[in-house]
Amino acid sequence: MTTAIFEQFINGTMMGSIYVLMALGMVLIYGVMHVLNFAHGVLFMVGGYLAHLFFFNLTGSYPLAILGAMVSLALIGVLLERAVFRALRDNLRMQIVASLGLIMIIQNGVVQIWGPHALQMRPPPVEALVRIGQLSFTVQHFVIIGVVAVSVAALYLFLTRTRLGTAMRATSQHPEAAVVVGIDPNRVYTLTFMIASALAGLGGALLGPLFLIFPQMGDAPMLKALSAIIIGGMGSVPGAIVGGLGIGIVESLSTLVVPTDYRDTIVFGVLILMLLIRPWGIFGVRVRGEH
Amino acid sequence: MTRSFSNLAALACLVLGALAPLIFGGQPYVLYVLTLALCYTIPAIGVNILYGYTGLVSLGHMGFAGVGAYTTALLMKDVGVPFVPALLGGALAAGVLGVLVGIPCLRLRSHFFIVVTLAVGMILFTLFNNLDALTGGAEGLPGIPRPAPFSIGPIDFEFRSLTGFYMLTFVVTALIFALQFVLVRSDFGRSLSSVRQDEALASARGVNVFGHKLMAFALSTAIAGAGGAMKVLFLRAAAPMSFDMHESINLMMMLILGGAGYLVGPVVGAITFIAVPEFLRIAAEMRFIFFGFVLLVLARFAPRGICGLAESAYKKLGRREKTVVGYS
């Protein structure tokens, strides 16, 4: 039993790390722009496909493929913000409509380009195994956990130590005041979308090789990340980290108690419960009239 | 909303719909596609009451449609209940679930409510997919019987043929359309609109905001349930894939395409979304890409959908009419 718990704990930490990447992107976009980007999951999926493309057709190196996916996604993020979301600021319903449109375009566009069947890529870290006692994990498990830990640290330093990061936080806290002190909100918005999309691309490039790369691969991570930012507290960066990791670990451990097919139900059950008791989340602050 | 425009459009849809078997009698494929479009029109009317008139977005509505569908299917297949009570049973089951979900969740605002509907839809999908004993799991529930034929005097009605089933779906859709008509023109409907436009103001003017939202949600889920039931009765099999998140998104999309907050919005949307690409022979993926772009354009330039565009065109053609409060 202890080994089973340990195994699920490592699996959960790995999946949770992926959710953290997604949740951080969504929380940045939400915190800075008040946009709930439902299309974040398809960006994750595109990250998987682009990593596959770069790995097999261009570089043959997995780290370079990841980098390529992230840079491409950053550019896509800029495009999305400029072309779609900028005009829809402060219009929640139409932002959702636009996200739904993007999901349809991107998901079915990928099917047009790569076909509906799942792709496989097995870079070295997926083939190599780590043995801990009787258990074995792929090296990729620990690559994911490590890369996410480093990314979170880098993001934290960026947000707290650089001028641009400070500008982002300022815009998120008080947009008007940020303008007064000379921050150009449009630049901040573009930057936010860029970072968030790159993080989603990183997630897809990391998880894709471990499982399969297919058009719907981003749906579940997007929904889990959405749950994570709500459980953690909308707009809270620590909340996204705790929420993401927590959801990954809870869903993995829940498979020890309930059939695997029902683990999503557990997560969404926790989400609904949280929304009912404490809709402002673990780290969020209660704002009157917002919930 | 321009009332004369709205009534004219509704009347045109009604006449065209009733005459469809005569016009397309020799083309079973056309009737097949139209029937399918009607099966989506029903839940789209449900979403219209919720989104178009009350201003609440639900991204899990096909989950409720699934509850109605499986309930009706099981009632007809295993219990042998006739069509009408089985359909009402399905709608009731979906509506009761809507009340149960609505009571705690409708207190949440804007995107929090959307996320809850998404989560509820996902949970329902998981249940359809895994409660093998009840729903047949991923395999689905095959062999749902057709409604039994009956006669009124010398006229026989049967639902084995495509024309017969089309007319049945048409009548059910027309009844639900009539329900929508009566509802939104009633005091209750006007109060709903006030909730959509300004919740705080509506509340200050004595509208029971929560009660109205709950009622709208329950009606909306019950109608979605009836729509789901018609769909599985038509396809003669219920499968979880018919009620997943993407179907819920498609449903929202149909309504926005047609025009949320218009009586005929769901009709125009479902037919445009389902039927037009079929007849233009556009491959499924290309259709979604195309409509995805349409959605982006609508979000930016014409948030009131096809009906909104038609209404402005109608007003330019004809004289008068005061300004209309914008919907966004």
Side-chain angles (χ1 to χ4, degrees), chain A residues 30 34 36 38 83-84 87-88 91-112 116 216 219 222-223 226-227 230 234 261-265 268-269 271-272 275-276 279-280 289-291, chain B residues 51 54-57 59 104-105 107-116 118-120 122-123 126-127 130-132 196 245-246 249-250 252-253 256 273 283-286 288-293 295-296 298-300 303 327-328:
Chain A
Y30 180 81
H34 263 254
L36 208 51
F38 286 99
V84 178
L88 301 175
N91 189 341
L92 177 74
R93 286 184 196 139
M94 288 306 128
Q95 285 163 7
I96 290 164
V97 172
S99 310
L100 300 185
L102 284 176
I103 293 177
M104 297 208 148
I105 297 169
I106 299 174
Q107 211 160 49
N108 294 289
V110 163
V111 174
Q112 282 292 309
Q216 293 83 24
D219 294 359
M222 189 278 288
L223 291 167
L226 195 57
S227 312
I230 286 179
M234 296 291 281
D261 295 327
Y262 288 101
R263 62 167 186 223
D264 288 354
T265 311
F268 296 127
L271 167 71
I272 293 176
L275 275 172
L276 298 182
W280 53 95
E290 252 217 347
H291 300 287
Chain B
Y51 174 70
T54 322
L56 293 166
V57 179
L59 292 182
C105 297
R107 300 192 185 278
L108 300 164
R109 275 171 196 274
S110 61
H111 39 257
F112 293 89
F113 178 74
I114 303 170
V115 173
V116 156
L118 203 58
V120 170
M122 292 300 292
I123 291 176
T126 316
L127 294 179
N130 293 301
L131 290 176
D132 293 27
R196 172 172 72 73
M245 181 181 80
H246 292 281
I249 291 179
N250 289 350
M252 269 310 284
M253 175 148 179
I256 290 156
F273 192 77
E285 288 89 29
M286 290 311 285
F288 287 124
I289 296 174
F290 172 72
F291 280 123
F293 277 111
L295 219 49
L296 288 187
L298 287 180
R300 178 76 176 80
Y327 184 81
S328 57

Side-chain angles (χ1 to χ4, degrees), chain B residues 205-281:
Chain B
R205 297 296 295 259
V207 174
N208 174 359
V209 170
F210 180 75
H212 277 73
K213 281 186 180 176
L214 186 63
M215 189 66 187
F217 192 62
L219 276 166
S220 159
T221 50
I223 291 174
M230 288 313 290
K231 187 180 166 191
V232 298
L233 281 178
F234 177 49
L235 301 175
R236 304 199 64 183
M241 287 296 279
S242 305
F243 305 106
D244 66 359
M245 181 181 80
H246 292 281
E247 284 285 286
S248 295
I249 291 179
N250 289 350
L251 198 61
M252 269 310 284
M253 175 148 179
M254 285 173 211
L255 180 65
I256 290 156
L257 186 69
Y262 287 92
L263 282 170
V264 290
V267 186
V268 174
I271 290 179
T272 315
F273 192 77
I274 302 286
V276 171
E278 289 288 342
F279 299 144
L280 296 179
R281 307 215 172 274

Side-chain angles (χ1 to χ4, degrees), chain A residues 49 52 56 77 95 120 130 134 138 142 151 159 172 177-179 190 198 212 229 240 244 258 265 273 282:
Chain A
Y49 275 94
H52 185 275
F56 284 107
Q95 285 163 7
Q120 233 186 5
V130 178
Q134 307 141 299
T138 72
F142 299 99
S151 314
L159 286 176
S172 129
V179 174
T190 308
L212 287 168
I229 63 176
V258 296
T265 311
L273 218 72
I282 300 174

Side-chain angles (χ1 to χ4, degrees), chain A residues 55-138:
Chain A
F55 186 66
F56 284 107
N57 301 45
L58 290 171
T59 63
S61 143
Y62 184 46
L64 280 180
I66 295 179
L67 199 69
M70 282 181 77
V71 172
S72 319
L73 257 302
L75 294 176
I76 295 175
V78 173
L79 183 75
L80 290 187
E81 196 274 323
R82 291 267 164 94
V84 178
F85 287 100
R86 178 166 294 189
L88 301 175
R89 220 168 280 156
D90 307 320
N91 189 341
L92 177 74
R93 286 184 196 139
M94 288 306 128
Q95 285 163 7
I96 290 164
V97 172
S99 310
L100 300 185
L102 284 176
I103 293 177
M104 297 208 148
I105 297 169
I106 299 174
Q107 211 160 49
N108 294 289
V110 163
V111 174
Q112 282 292 309
I113 300 169
W114 280 283
H117 303 294
L119 301 182
Q120 233 186 5
M121 71 184 278
R122 301 188 70 84
V126 178
E127 299 287 3
L129 293 179
V130 178
R131 288 194 189 285
I132 304 173
Q134 307 141 299
L135 296 170
S136 65
F137 301 95
T138 72

Side-chain angles (χ1 to χ4, degrees), chain A residues 226-256:
Chain A
L226 195 57
S227 312
I229 63 176
I230 286 179
I231 291 174
M234 296 291 281
S236 154
V237 169
I241 298 168
V242 172
L245 273 179
I247 283 179
I249 292 169
V250 165
E251 82 174 358
S252 286
L253 289 180
S254 74
T255 59
L256 298 171

